[in-house]
Each structure stands twice: as structure tokens, then as C-alpha cells.
Amino acid sequence: MEWPKSNDVIGTVNRGNPAESGLCTLCRSDCKGRCETWLSSLKGRKILYPRDFGFVTAGSANTCHLGVCYNSLRIQGYNYGVSGLPAGLSSSADDCIFPNVNIEGSFGNEVKTKFRLPIMTGALGSTFIAAKYWDSFATGAALVGIPIVIGENVVGIDKEAVINNGKISKAPELDRRIETFLKYYDGYGAIIVQMNVEDTRNGVAEYVINKYGDKAIIELKWGQGAKDIGGEIQVDSLDYALFLKERGYVVDPDPAKPEVQEAFRHGAVKSFARHSRLGYTDMSSVEKVSESFMESVAHLRRLGYKRISLKTGSYGMEALAMAIKYATDAKLDLLTVDGSGGGTGMSPWNMMETWGVPSILLHSKTIEYASILAAKGDKVVDIALAGGLAREDHIFKALALGAPYTKLVCMGRAAMIPGFLGSNIEGVLKPERKAKVNGNWDELPISVREIGASTEELFAGYYDLQKKVGADEMKNIPYGAIAMWTLADKLAAGLQQLMAGARRFDLSQISRGDVFSANRETERETKIPFITDVLDESAKKILNS
């Protein structure tokens, strides 16, 4: 299946080969535009509509659906009724307008975590691109009011961190990431700190709870949708590679070998890949994994954690069932299920292309398995779905497919694009900040100049954000965070419009009946009925009455 590189109606073009999400398969931080997410980070909700109003008409090209994917779900619309109206509103057409749709919600078992928009970031961990643009990502997430995840290995790769026998006494990069978010945190969203095997050994959980208490959610990690081995980064320094090996990481090729060092000095080896370890390699049965997992959760509870989450990848059905069952039994606050099709900073390319279960198939089984637990009377863990999701229609479809268990949609690469774009603009307009914000441009490209030349002109969300933080504080807001606010406004408005069309005025009202399958294969795999079968009996009753 191939996806078009351009959309003439909204004026977007992909620089590289597009994925189903609408993002390029290779997304560059220095990109000069102009995919839908990139352009939405500047123009905001204007990108919901066809361009050049008054000169054009527009027609959909998306009427033929092939294969099983999110593109093969379509959104149901109704022509009467309404549900989920916020308090104080009536069913009058004057009240039932899309800006009145409530897209705020919460997740959690005993302690509820609120959000203003039902999205969260993917795990932004030890990849250097996550570190370079963190100020924009974290500030933007806090201002928008959505959860952001600090990914694995942040402490382990930090040269300034001090770790002795699994006890962290200093972790400046982790501190920077948490405190950047907390600076603008206003009760919506959350900072989630993820742990893998190395993080557990290094005492990340103990450090975070001792310093930040219940301000952070701790997340156990089983895997992700982009790879089935531990996380990787690439370093081009022999000294740094040796440092990482001494920290206990797997480094490939081995920088301690004399022949590798010689190859590096002569340029034959130019970089090293740092790998994390697989979990549960010493376990040989489902029962042993269950026992180990429950003990891990119990340990975190003893440390004082009130909110705990789990991230699992696109493993097969057994692992998926384990994740849902154990997260439910352990009364976790969130389970993120990440299907293949998700992105990453560095995964082996052919592994990312060929391993694991594609998102919509994994998500469909997630809901089937959750329903089995619910039928037994269990309070199923709140779920976030991830894996190649980027637009407002993706949010609606994932929430509908996963209803009533899915509370959030996890967006990885899409949530990073506004950080890149805003930082590049900031580096041009404020050249004294270019190095600090990791700007890549020397001048504004044509794709940006045609929108404007100043911050106030370029970002459609500028004055909305200024209203929230105040004119004086705007000078401290990274431009990448302004872009993230602008993109979030577009996603929010688009989601509100889709929900209003489905007559759902609250997130809790979205159901599986609000989508239908565009082909029989999708119907079989998702258990979502085929388009012309939905309400067909009701239609025939009308005709025969």
C-alpha cells in the first residue's frame, strides 16, 4: 500500500516517503516543510479546511479502502440526537456546537490524572534528539496539559550523573527534564519516568521518589512498537563509547577491543551503537513473569509510588494478554500498547519494517482481551493506544475502537515535529539563541516566509498562549512549545468537530458504534461492522413502516 506524497486540498507536501500517519518515514529535525503536522504547527486549525477559499471546490480522494489499517475505519455520523452534553447546556442547536464538545478527561486507578486533550507523547529517552529539544517538548506538554514520557536510559547515558552500586546521587539531565515540565504544570497532564533493565539496576525509581515524590508517574517498560530488542543510541566518540560500556551497557562494536579502537582511529569504524538489555530473559514461563512483575510493582508501592504505568510493545497475543491481565490485577494507572508502525530515534530499519503486530490488529485484540476481563467483573486498567497515530481522525478512531477502555492516544514522532520547527524558527529570529535551541536554519525558508516573518505572524496560537501565560512570560516560552500549542489547538478543534458530527459531546460517550469498517477484512479483524450493515435493520424498519 502506498500513501500520496502531497495533499492538494490543504496544501501539504511530504519531503520524503509518507507513512500511513501522514509523516515521512524519515522525519528530519531540520526539515523545511511541509507535511500536515509541520504546517499545522504554524497555521493551527486553519489546516482543517481546504486552502484558497473562494477560488476552489474540494472533493475527497479517500473513498476506496484497501487492507486492514486505521485508514480502513470510517467515522459514523448521525442526523438526530445528542449525548454527553456538559452541565448547563441544553439539546438546543444553539448549545450543540462543536466548541462545546468536552475533550478533557482523566486516567488512573485511585489517583486520577487529568488531561485537556486525550493525547500523550511517546517515550522521549536517551536519543540525543530528545535531549536537544526537550525544553520545547516538555514546556509545550505542560502548557497544553498532556502527559509527557521521559524514556529509558536518560540517567545511564548522562556523563554528569553519579551512580554507585545502584544508588544515584546526582542526575542532572533527569532533573532538567522533570523540572522543565513542572515549571509550567498546572494540574493537567503528567511527567512519566520510564524504566528499563538498566534504569532499574541504576536506582532510577528510588531517586525519583526521594526527590519528586508523587509529582511523577513511574513506568515499567516491556517494549515498544518500533523494535523487539532494547533501546539504542549511536555515539561517535570512542571515549563516550567506553564510558557507556563501563556503565554496564552493551556497546557494538566493542570499544574495549584493540582492533576496534584501531579501526576507529583509521576511520573504518565511525560510530558505536549502545544497546539495552532484554527483560525477563531468566524467566521460562508465564507464571514466573507474573510473579516477577507483581514483585516489581510491589517494590514500587513500597517506595511510595501512588501512580504506576506499563508500556508494552507489539509482541504477540500471549504477551498482550499478560500485559492487560497483570496491569489490571496490579491496579496500575495506565497501560500503553504500542503497535508496529510506531517510530523511534534509532531502531534497526528492517526490524522496524518487519517485526511485530501492526497497530490496528494489536489494538483490536487489546480491546477483545480487555472485554474478557471486564466480563469477569475486573476493573480493567486504563489504556493508551500507540503506533503511527498523528491526526485528529486517528485520535477519534483509536478512542472509538478501544472504547470504553482507551483513555488516551499516544503520539510519538508527530508530537516532536513542532519542537523541531519552532526551534528552527527561533534560531533564525533570535540568532543569539540558535545554539541553545539547536536551530538548524540560517534563514527562514520560503515555506515559512509565505506565512509570516515574526513570531506573532507565524504561529496561529501565539495570542491564545499569551493569554494563558501573560505577555511578560511569553519571552521565556520556547518557540517549539508555541508550535506544539498551535498543533494541539488544531488537533483539539478537529477532534471536537468529529465528535460533534457523531453527536458525542464528551469523551466518555465515544463508542465502538461510532466507527465502521470500510472493507470486510477490517470487519473480520476488528469486529467493527461493515459500513452498509450498520443500522441496516433500522433502515429497513423505516422503509417497511
Side-chain angles (χ1 to χ4, degrees):
M1 200 180 304
E2 294 184 355
W3 309 101
K5 286 178 69 81
S6 64
N7 184 322
D8 188 45
V9 173
I10 57 176
T12 59
V13 180
N14 285 73
R15 173 198 51 77
N17 297 326
E20 182 188 354
S21 63
L23 308 183
C24 297
T25 51
L26 185 70
C27 181
R28 296 183 60 93
S29 63
D30 61 351
C31 180
K32 297 177 180 178
R34 37 187 292 159
C35 76
E36 182 175 341
T37 302
W38 188 97
L39 200 57
S40 298
S41 301
L42 293 172
K43 291 190 171 186
R45 60 178 65 193
K46 185 175 179 60
I47 301 303
L48 293 170
Y49 313 103
R51 60 182 175 145
D52 301 331
F53 173 75
F55 296 90
V56 302
T57 63
S60 172
N62 188 33
T63 56
C64 181
H65 300 270
L66 303 174
V68 183
C69 59
Y70 270 98
N71 183 57
S72 296
L73 288 180
R74 293 186 70 87
I75 296 170
Q76 172 75 284
Y78 303 91
N79 73 334
Y80 65 90
V82 67
S83 66
L85 282 173
L89 296 184
S90 72
S91 58
S92 160
D94 292 326
D95 281 348
C96 296
I97 55 176
F98 83 84
N100 286 338
V101 172
N102 177 32
I103 56 173
E104 292 186 3
S106 65
F107 68 89
N109 187 47
E110 294 184 2
V111 179
K112 296 297 182 183
T113 299
K114 298 186 296 183
F115 51 80
R116 289 196 178 91
L117 178 64
I119 63 173
M120 61 185 289
T121 75
L124 304 167
S126 58
T127 56
F128 298 136
I129 201 162
K132 288 195 295 185
Y133 298 99
W134 182 261
D135 285 356
S136 289
F137 301 151
T139 302
L143 291 170
V144 171
I146 62 172
I148 185 170
V149 184
I150 300 174
E152 58 192 352
N153 294 312
V154 169
V155 176
I157 71 159
D158 183 2
K159 291 181 180 179
E160 304 302 318
V162 178
I163 310 171
N164 292 308
N165 298 320
K167 184 176 177 61
I168 302 170
S169 58
K170 183 180 177 184
E173 176 60 16
L174 181 61
D175 288 339
R176 179 181 78 91
R177 297 202 188 191
I178 294 174
E179 289 162 9
T180 300
F181 176 85
L182 292 178
K183 180 179 179 181
Y184 292 100
Y185 171 68
D186 65 356
Y188 287 82
I191 187 77
I192 301 174
V193 180
Q194 190 181 87
M195 295 197 308
N196 63 3
V197 173
E198 286 80 9
D199 293 319
T200 301
R201 292 178 179 177
N202 288 337
V204 169
E206 290 78 1
Y207 179 82
V208 171
I209 194 69
N210 289 334
K211 188 161 186 177
Y212 298 101
D214 60 5
K215 293 178 181 178
I217 298 174
I218 199 74
E219 179 165 275
L220 297 168
K221 181 174 184 180
W222 280 8
Q224 67 175 73
K227 55 179 173 281
D228 57 353
I229 57 174
E232 304 95 352
I233 63 169
Q234 191 173 130
V235 300
D236 56 11
S237 163
L238 177 60
D239 289 341
Y240 193 23
L242 289 167
F243 164 79
L244 292 172
K245 182 176 174 64
E246 290 169 4
R247 273 273 164 93
Y249 287 106
V250 177
V251 183
D252 179 46
D254 187 346
K257 289 184 176 180
E259 60 270 29
V260 172
Q261 295 182 8
E262 192 69 17
F264 181 81
R265 281 191 288 269
H266 285 84
V269 171
K270 294 180 173 62
S271 63
F272 301 87
R274 183 235 63 201
H275 292 261
S276 301
R277 288 170 175 77
L278 298 170
Y280 297 132
T281 55
D282 55 341
M283 305 291 163
S284 57
S285 69
V286 168
E287 292 75 19
K288 290 182 178 179
V289 173
S290 174
E291 181 181 346
S292 177
F293 178 77
M294 292 303 178
E295 175 51 38
S296 296
V297 173
H299 173 67
L300 294 174
R301 300 280 189 212
R302 289 192 294 269
L303 289 177
Y305 282 101
K306 297 179 180 178
R307 295 179 294 171
I308 304 172
S309 61
L310 172 65
K311 167 79 173 292
T312 190
S314 53
Y315 304 115
M317 299 307 106
E318 181 186 64
L320 176 63
M322 291 163 67
I324 300 169
K325 171 67 172 171
Y326 302 166
T328 295
D329 289 349
K331 302 186 186 305
L332 297 194
D333 294 273
L334 188 68
L335 168 65
T336 300
V337 179
D338 191 3
S340 289
T344 184
M346 184 185 170
S347 288
W349 172 247
N350 287 322
M351 176 185 292
M352 188 157 54
E353 287 279 272
T354 57
W355 102 276
V357 185
S359 293
I360 196 168
L361 300 177
L362 192 71
H363 297 167
S364 297
K365 295 300 285 188
T366 296
I367 306 314
E368 179 184 338
Y369 294 169
S371 299
I372 292 172
L373 294 182
K376 294 166 51 181
D378 291 343
K379 180 185 176 183
V380 178
V381 64
D382 287 340
I383 292 172
L385 298 180
L389 304 172
R391 302 191 308 259
E392 63 276 0
D393 57 300
H394 295 155
I395 299 172
F396 186 98
K397 290 175 181 179
L399 292 176
L401 177 70
Y405 313 105
T406 300
K407 309 301 181 185
L408 292 160
V409 171
C410 179
M411 291 186 174
R413 296 194 303 144
M416 301 174 76
I417 290 173
F420 305 152
L421 173 56
S423 297
N424 289 332
I425 292 173
E426 186 169 1
V428 174
L429 299 184
K430 302 288 184 182
E432 70 277 9
R433 302 183 195 168
K434 182 178 180 182
K436 180 181 179 181
V437 301
N438 295 286
N440 292 291
W441 299 344
D442 294 322
E443 61 181 16
L444 296 180
I446 293 174
S447 54
V448 174
R449 291 201 306 270
E450 67 184 14
I451 299 172
S454 68
T455 320
E456 295 83 351
E457 280 184 300
L458 287 171
F459 297 105
Y462 183 91
Y463 288 103
D464 284 338
L465 181 54
Q466 179 176 281
K467 181 180 179 180
K468 178 180 176 66
V469 304
D472 290 340
E473 187 60 28
M474 280 299 287
K475 66 179 182 295
N476 298 319
I477 304 298
Y479 289 13
I482 303 174
M484 193 168 181
W485 174 279
T486 305
L487 172 63
D489 179 66
K490 178 258 190 180
L491 294 173
L495 178 60
Q496 287 176 311
Q497 291 173 356
L498 292 170
M499 289 176 63
R503 314 279 172 141
R504 307 296 184 230
F505 274 70
D506 189 88
L507 285 176
S508 64
Q509 300 300 305
I510 296 177
S511 75
R512 288 171 62 86
D514 294 326
V515 288
F516 38 43
S517 293
N519 57 53
R520 294 293 183 182
E521 190 179 8
T522 299
E523 176 187 36
R524 183 179 70 241
E525 300 299 335
T526 65
K527 308 300 188 293
I528 297 291
F530 182 67
I531 293 175
T532 55
D533 291 339
V534 176
L535 295 178
D536 185 53
E537 289 301 316
S538 177
K540 289 173 180 174
K541 286 181 181 179
I542 293 170
L543 296 172
N544 291 318
S545 62

